[in-house]
Amino acid sequence: MLVSYATLGYPNREDYLRLVKGLVEAGSDILEIGLLPKYAKYDGPVIRRSYKQVSTWLTDFWSLLEETRRAVDVPLVILTYLEDWVSSLSQVLAKMKEVGIDGVLFPDLLIDFVDEYEKYVNEIKSHGLSAVIFTSPSVPDPLIHKVSRLSDMFLYYGVRPTTGVPLPVSVDSLITRVRTLVNNKLVVGFGLSDIEDMKKALKAGADGVAIGTVYIEEIERNGVESAISLARKFRGILDGA
């Protein structure tokens, strides 16, 4: 399973739409779309740069989400911070469903709202949306085991403290351990961009990978088409595994 991330509206409206279409054509099974947050505290510097660029012009993200939905036919999962929407969550989730969004992932759910996470998972599902749950090595094993059964589509396991920031622990050892806890599809990401680490993760039992930072870095260096080419390469690695 290839889950490809794109920041909504990055690098600009036209190239963003070209990117999401290209990522799907290259073999992405699911698109994860990042909404500009008030403070991207669990994102690394690369994704933060993309948010900063988008913040200069994007004022109506709902219309662009509607365009995204019309442009691609794979599931769309919104990545956004619960703390930004907690006071108006029901209305926001209803609007996402209306737009055609398939699922929601809150990276801060099990960190800042751990005592109430079941309430919020149930709220997401009550609106007909999938609740994709993010976990990491800092989450206790019993909780990972429990939420793996609640998470829709897959359980997202982040192997880095923030996106794109290295962790001095081997990816395969992390995945081997967590695989025994997870009763669900296991997708590994949050800064996973090294091809050898991807291969190790798949060999250790991951069902897929989530890629984001490396696409943005490639766009910064060589443009959207080059990032799409990377997605084709990642698709080939997954198929080969």
Side-chain angles (χ1 to χ4, degrees), residues 2 26 195 214-215 218 221 225-235:
L2 177 58
I195 288 175
V214 69
Y215 291 145
E218 192 63 24
R221 287 192 299 260
E225 290 302 324
S226 187
I228 294 168
S229 295
L230 276 181
R232 293 192 191 98
K233 180 190 250 184
F234 296 144
R235 180 75 260 172

Side-chain angles (χ1 to χ4, degrees), residues 29-172:
D29 300 293
I30 296 171
L31 289 184
E32 184 184 9
I33 306 297
L35 295 190
L36 177 67
K38 293 176 183 175
Y39 177 48
K41 57 185 175 181
Y42 301 127
D43 286 296
V46 175
I47 290 181
R48 286 187 186 185
R49 283 200 303 271
S50 73
Y51 284 139
K52 185 176 181 180
Q53 183 165 329
V54 168
S55 70
T56 63
W57 66 270
L58 183 58
T59 55
D60 181 8
F61 66 82
W62 289 118
S63 66
L64 190 51
L65 281 177
E66 289 173 346
E67 283 190 70
T68 307
R69 177 69 288 170
R70 291 193 295 269
V72 299
D73 59 0
V74 299
L76 295 178
V77 174
I78 297 300
L79 187 149
T80 186
Y81 285 82
L82 176 56
E83 69 176 8
D84 288 352
W85 308 106
V86 68
S87 63
S88 58
L89 186 60
S90 182
Q91 300 95 306
V92 169
L93 294 174
K95 181 64 175 179
M96 287 183 183
K97 181 65 177 178
E98 179 186 329
V99 168
I101 301 304
D102 298 279
V104 182
L105 188 158
F106 294 127
D108 54 344
L109 179 64
L110 294 186
I111 302 173
D112 301 322
F113 299 88
V114 66
D115 294 331
E116 300 178 287
Y117 77 87
E118 289 180 277
K119 178 182 79 172
Y120 292 116
V121 166
N122 290 334
E123 178 78 1
I124 294 168
K125 295 186 180 192
S126 73
H127 285 83
L129 296 164
S130 294
V132 182
I133 299 178
F134 173 83
T135 62
S136 70
S138 64
V139 176
D141 286 0
L143 185 54
I144 291 176
H145 178 64
K146 185 175 181 181
V147 300
S148 76
R149 298 179 178 183
L150 298 176
S151 190
D152 299 313
M153 296 188 188
F154 55 88
L155 183 76
Y156 191 131
Y157 186 73
V159 295
R160 312 294 186 197
T162 60
T163 53
V165 177
L167 187 72
V169 180
S170 66
V171 168
D172 48 345

